Amino acid sequence: MIPGGGGQPDMQQLLQQAQKMQQDLAEAQQELAESTVDGSSGGGLVKATVNGAGELQGLVIDPKAVDPEDTETLSDLVLAAVRDAVAGAQQLQQQKLGPLAEGLGGGGVPGLPF
C-alpha cells in the first residue's frame, strides 16, 4: 500500500482538523457563556436577560406592571419576556455554533438545538 494513496484521507490532517474544530467549538461556547441577550414584553414593562446558553440572568419588572388584582397578566408578561430573550439566545447559538455543525457534515451536534 502506498501511504496516503488510493484516496485514503491523511490521518494526521484529519486529526488536525478535528482538533481545530474542537478548539473552535470551545471558543464559541465560551463566547456564548459570556454573551447576554435581552427580551421584553408589554412595551418594555418586563425585561428579561439570559446568557447565550439560555439561562435566565436577570429580570426587571416596571412597577406599572404590578397590579395585585391581576397577577395573571404579570405572569404572562414575565413568561413572554423570558421566551423573547431565550429565542434571541437560540439565534445567537445558531450564529456561533451553526457553522461548526456544518463543518461536522451538517448532521447537527448532539445536545445542541440544530
Side-chain angles (χ1 to χ4, degrees):
M1 252 184 152
I2 300 171
Q8 296 294 322
D10 179 1
M11 294 307 283
Q12 184 66 27
Q13 183 179 8
L14 286 175
L15 180 58
Q16 288 173 349
Q17 288 175 342
Q19 288 172 337
K20 169 101 172 80
M21 288 174 63
Q22 184 178 19
Q23 181 180 359
D24 291 347
L25 179 60
E27 289 173 8
Q29 288 172 327
Q30 182 65 34
E31 286 179 34
L32 284 172
E34 295 171 358
S35 300
T36 59
V37 179
D38 294 321
S40 66
S41 66
L45 289 175
V46 178
K47 298 176 186 174
T49 301
V50 299
N51 66 13
E55 299 168 336
L56 185 62
Q57 300 293 306
L59 185 64
V60 177
I61 301 172
D62 188 307
K64 291 181 253 178
V66 181
D67 177 358
E69 300 298 318
D70 186 12
T71 57
E72 186 175 327
T73 296
L74 179 56
S75 295
D76 290 343
L77 289 172
V78 169
L79 188 58
V82 171
R83 285 181 176 161
D84 186 38
V86 169
Q90 289 174 339
Q91 288 176 341
L92 183 61
Q93 290 171 0
Q94 183 64 32
Q95 290 170 357
K96 297 279 186 191
L97 301 177
L100 294 173
E102 290 171 13
L104 294 172
V109 179
L112 296 178
F114 46 87

